[in-house]
Amino acid sequence: MTVRDSLHRRLLIWMLLPMLAVGSLVLWQAWIDARRTADTAFDRLLEAASLAISEEVQWQDDRLWLDLPPAALEMIATQNDERVFYTLVDAQGHQVTGNAPLPGDPRPDQRDGDTLLYRDIQLQGMALRQGVRRSRLEDWRVRETFEVRVAHTREGRDALSWALFRQSVAYMLALAVLTLAALMIAVRFALAPLTRLRRQIRARDPRTLQPLELKLPRELAELRDTLNELLARMRRVKANQERFIGDASHQLRTPMTGLSARAELALRQDNPEVWREALVAMQATSTKASRLAIQLLSLTRLDNPEYQPELVPTDLNAIAREAVREHWQRCHRRNVDLGLEACDEDVWVQGLDWQLAEALANLIDNACTYGADQVTIRVNASPPRLCVEDDGPGIPPQQRLLALRPFHRGQQHGDGSGLGLAIVDGISRSHGARLRLLAARQQPTPGLMVCLEFPAPPVASSTEDR
């Protein structure tokens, strides 16, 4: 079973890891402080015992003499039953008395009064804490120096260290529990806006694409704005699809109804000539409906705001020659003279060959549909231009912008759908080209010249791509 990742868990983990590291350092410091505190407390006992012993040292029979009271050593021993050792050493380093041969301290002597030097030693396999007091007799006749060495085992120190450390650990554990509880509450409150955002998204109607309206912190506000941008793009795509469905149903209803009516009338007749006339009319209507459907699909794809094709180097001469070869037969059947005026050199632009071919197909079809007898495709190099010129009735200047709207037809008696120039306009915008509608001539008919002016590509890139 796969455990889903949780932002709540990840936040807790990434916040607890440094806390655990800091807690480990604090525990280590607590142990060091406990040891230092225990050493300080028991070192004072060593100091008191060594002072009591040094006060009992006397000079008798030309030598040091010590009558040690039992209380001097009993003050060092605690309930932990430490073993206590002492040694009295004269100025020559000879042991005068004691219950164990304790070593001296190699550190230099200090003459500013009685001093006690502490250190940890090993004696017969036992770990001891030793204190060495360097002192002298206070008799006015004799100023003999001596050392009192006192040591005891570490049972009491270790017991006190562990007791202090356990208290620190208990305090830190209680603090860690409170910190963890506060941290979990803080993380839950910090993630509450994300929970509200999730609930609002989950509660939304799947059919609505309205923007999210929710007050959020800055980081989540950026996520909300990104979601709103996505919803806006989806609304545009949906609107484009709905417009296509509406346009298609509206524009295809007439030819489909005509086909049905023609077929119904033909079935009521017995004359083969009537059937033939009906079939010819139905064939023309189906061709028109097919062309209309293709144009609707092209227009919908071009109007899609999310459609951003990648343009590649394309030769306008090659596009124009291919268009003449493809449409010459159809124009010839309609008694339309289709010609080409190409450049001697290749004209490269950034574009898509199939879209430019579709633009030429729509312009040639428009010219043939609206009464042109001569159609010429021209390619210019400077600036790069692709033009289609005809000798038809043309479009008045005041109607040229309206002609770029879908389903607008300047001549009501024409057979066009009003989509050709709208498709060409969409293709020009997708190529970053400028679409211009001009009069081809003055007399006898103005005609129409439609030009796509492309931005000139860099010479180096064009030559390399070629």
Side-chain angles (χ1 to χ4, degrees), residues 372-389:
D373 295 326
Q374 185 176 3
V375 179
T376 304
I377 301 177
R378 288 190 173 90
V379 179
N380 297 328
S382 182
R385 289 195 306 173
L386 184 62
C387 301
V388 176
E389 179 183 334

Side-chain angles (χ1 to χ4, degrees), residues 8-122:
H8 187 275
R9 183 172 63 250
R10 292 183 66 180
L11 282 175
L12 284 178
I13 291 175
W14 283 107
M15 297 179 72
L16 286 177
L17 285 178
M19 291 182 61
L20 288 176
V22 173
S24 301
L25 293 177
V26 172
L27 285 176
W28 176 252
Q29 185 63 39
W31 171 248
I32 294 176
D33 292 341
R35 291 288 300 269
R36 185 184 297 114
T37 302
D39 285 341
T40 301
F42 278 83
D43 286 348
R44 292 186 181 276
L45 295 179
L46 284 178
E47 182 179 7
S50 63
L51 181 60
I53 293 175
S54 64
E55 290 177 351
E56 297 296 329
V57 177
Q58 300 179 7
W59 183 262
Q60 291 185 5
D61 300 330
D62 297 330
R63 66 185 184 87
L64 294 173
W65 180 81
L66 174 64
D67 184 13
L68 182 65
L73 296 181
E74 290 178 357
M75 69 173 61
I76 304 178
T78 64
Q79 67 270 20
N80 295 284
D81 296 330
E82 297 95 336
R83 300 183 63 182
V84 182
F85 306 96
Y86 77 97
T87 300
L88 176 63
V89 180
D90 59 17
Q92 290 73 35
H94 300 146
Q95 180 176 343
V96 177
T97 184
N99 60 0
L102 297 176
D105 196 316
R107 285 175 286 184
D109 192 7
Q110 299 180 11
R111 296 298 180 180
D112 57 351
D114 291 349
T115 58
L116 193 64
L117 303 176
Y118 300 101
R119 64 171 184 163
D120 295 321
I121 63 172
Q122 292 286 333

Side-chain angles (χ1 to χ4, degrees), residues 118-398:
Y118 300 101
R119 64 171 184 163
D120 295 321
I121 63 172
Q122 292 286 333
L123 180 65
Q124 298 178 359
M126 294 182 295
L128 304 177
R129 178 71 169 176
Q130 176 183 270
V132 177
R133 179 179 292 277
R134 294 167 181 171
S135 186
R136 67 177 60 201
L137 292 174
E138 297 298 333
D139 195 330
W140 61 274
R141 294 169 299 175
V142 181
R143 303 288 294 176
E144 182 74 13
T145 60
F146 60 90
E147 282 187 1
V148 176
R149 304 171 183 173
V150 184
H152 64 175
T153 53
R154 300 190 61 92
E155 290 85 356
R157 294 172 182 266
D158 293 341
L160 180 59
S161 298
W162 279 107
L164 295 175
F165 181 67
R166 284 194 296 270
Q167 292 179 0
S168 299
V169 171
Y171 172 75
M172 291 185 63
L173 285 178
L175 184 61
V177 172
L178 293 177
T179 302
L180 181 59
L183 185 61
M184 294 180 66
I185 295 174
V187 170
R188 184 171 297 277
F189 274 102
L191 294 180
L194 185 60
T195 303
R196 294 200 306 271
L197 178 61
R198 183 188 66 221
R199 290 175 178 173
Q200 183 173 2
I201 294 176
R202 183 176 296 173
R204 286 171 63 90
D205 188 340
R207 295 169 295 180
T208 182
L209 296 176
Q210 295 303 314
L212 296 170
E213 299 293 341
L214 184 65
K215 292 184 178 180
L216 296 171
R218 185 183 69 252
E219 294 78 8
L220 291 180
E222 296 176 358
L223 175 59
R224 179 200 60 201
D225 295 340
T226 302
L227 288 175
N228 286 338
E229 292 176 1
L230 175 61
L231 292 175
R233 293 198 300 269
M234 294 177 65
R235 284 198 303 272
R236 290 194 295 268
V237 173
K238 182 180 179 181
N240 187 61
Q241 292 175 348
E242 291 177 349
R243 185 170 59 251
F244 167 74
I245 294 173
D247 294 342
S249 61
H250 176 73
Q251 296 297 323
L252 294 177
R253 183 183 300 114
T254 299
M256 294 297 104
T257 304
L259 282 175
S260 177
R262 283 282 186 176
E264 184 178 354
L265 289 175
L267 290 175
R268 294 177 180 179
Q269 302 295 328
D270 295 330
N271 189 349
E273 290 297 329
V274 177
W275 293 347
R276 177 176 176 81
E277 292 177 1
L279 288 175
V280 171
M282 292 172 63
Q283 193 272 339
T285 303
S286 62
T287 302
K288 180 180 177 181
S290 175
R291 176 62 179 166
L292 178 60
I294 294 174
Q295 288 182 324
L296 283 170
L297 290 172
S298 299
L299 184 63
T300 301
R301 180 164 52 180
L302 291 171
D303 287 342
N304 187 353
E306 302 302 315
Y307 178 66
Q308 297 179 350
E310 181 180 357
L311 305 181
V312 297
T314 305
D315 182 17
L316 296 182
N317 281 332
I319 298 297
R321 293 190 184 98
E322 182 63 28
V324 171
R325 283 193 295 267
E326 181 178 353
H327 298 281
W328 187 87
Q329 187 84 19
R330 183 163 58 90
C331 290
H332 181 69
R333 287 198 302 266
R334 302 174 68 172
N335 296 320
V336 176
D337 182 14
L338 178 62
L340 172 64
E341 293 183 7
C343 290
D344 296 335
E345 58 184 11
D346 295 340
V347 181
W348 293 93
V349 297
Q350 294 294 114
L352 293 177
D353 53 359
W354 66 269
Q355 282 195 3
L356 295 177
E358 185 171 357
L360 289 179
N362 279 278
L363 292 176
I364 294 172
D365 184 72
N366 274 5
C368 296
T369 300
Y370 289 101
D373 295 326
Q374 185 176 3
V375 179
T376 304
I377 301 177
R378 288 190 173 90
V379 179
N380 297 328
S382 182
R385 289 195 306 173
L386 184 62
C387 301
V388 176
E389 179 183 334
D390 63 66
D391 60 351
I395 301 176
Q398 64 272 17

